[in-house]
Amino acid sequence: MSELRYLNTDLELVTARDPAALVAALEHAGVAPLNPVSSDGKQFRAPFETDEQHDHPEPNIAAIVTAVESLDQALRAAWDACTLRELNVGYESGDEPKSLDQALPVELLRRVVAAGLALRITIYAPTP
């Protein structure tokens, strides 16, 4: 039997601008790049994850939003210029438990919206 469980929350950014300064600021705030920034010559793609992982998404999302809120005016302009600013909350599917209940408080949802973040839920098949 496999277990239904929260895996992690990633932040995915896509921008036409070189995001080096933005990446450095987020990393300094505890939201580290998962991979080197990639580019297709037109857009840069940068995935991130919080330095510390938790058993449910709320603390990870709060850490990412806090990092965004800490950006100075110039970096916030770079953030706002991103064409994709998305939180991807990942779960691994499984047989047990039959349900999983995880909530986000209204105040955190307000902060997510104020930061201009989209929210995606991804459910992965269990790993063998």
Side-chain angles (χ1 to χ4, degrees):
M1 295 210 155
S2 58
E3 184 179 332
L4 169 62
R5 65 189 180 99
Y6 168 70
L7 295 174
N8 64 355
T9 300
D10 295 344
L11 167 64
E12 181 78 23
L13 298 180
V14 175
T15 182
R17 300 180 181 180
D18 180 352
L22 185 56
V23 169
L26 291 172
E27 187 169 17
H28 180 74
V31 181
L34 284 171
N35 305 305
V37 173
S38 63
S39 175
D40 64 5
K42 295 180 183 175
Q43 297 186 93
F44 296 89
R45 189 171 280 283
F48 300 84
E49 190 172 76
T50 55
D51 288 342
E52 185 177 345
Q53 291 299 307
H54 300 274
D55 293 336
H56 51 92
E58 181 183 348
N60 295 103
I61 291 171
I64 292 168
V65 172
T66 298
V68 172
E69 292 168 341
S70 75
L71 298 173
D72 66 24
Q73 188 174 8
L75 290 171
R76 188 58 194 247
W79 170 265
D80 290 339
C82 292
T83 56
L84 178 71
R85 296 176 305 273
E86 181 178 86
L87 295 170
N88 187 334
V89 182
Y91 291 88
E92 183 174 72
S93 65
D95 306 302
E96 296 294 331
K98 294 296 180 192
S99 66
L100 180 65
D101 183 14
Q102 296 182 331
L104 298 177
V106 170
E107 185 52 40
L108 180 56
L109 291 172
R110 284 187 183 114
R111 292 173 61 208
V112 166
V113 170
L117 284 158
L119 184 63
R120 177 182 303 271
I121 308 293
T122 303
I123 300 172
Y124 298 95
T127 55

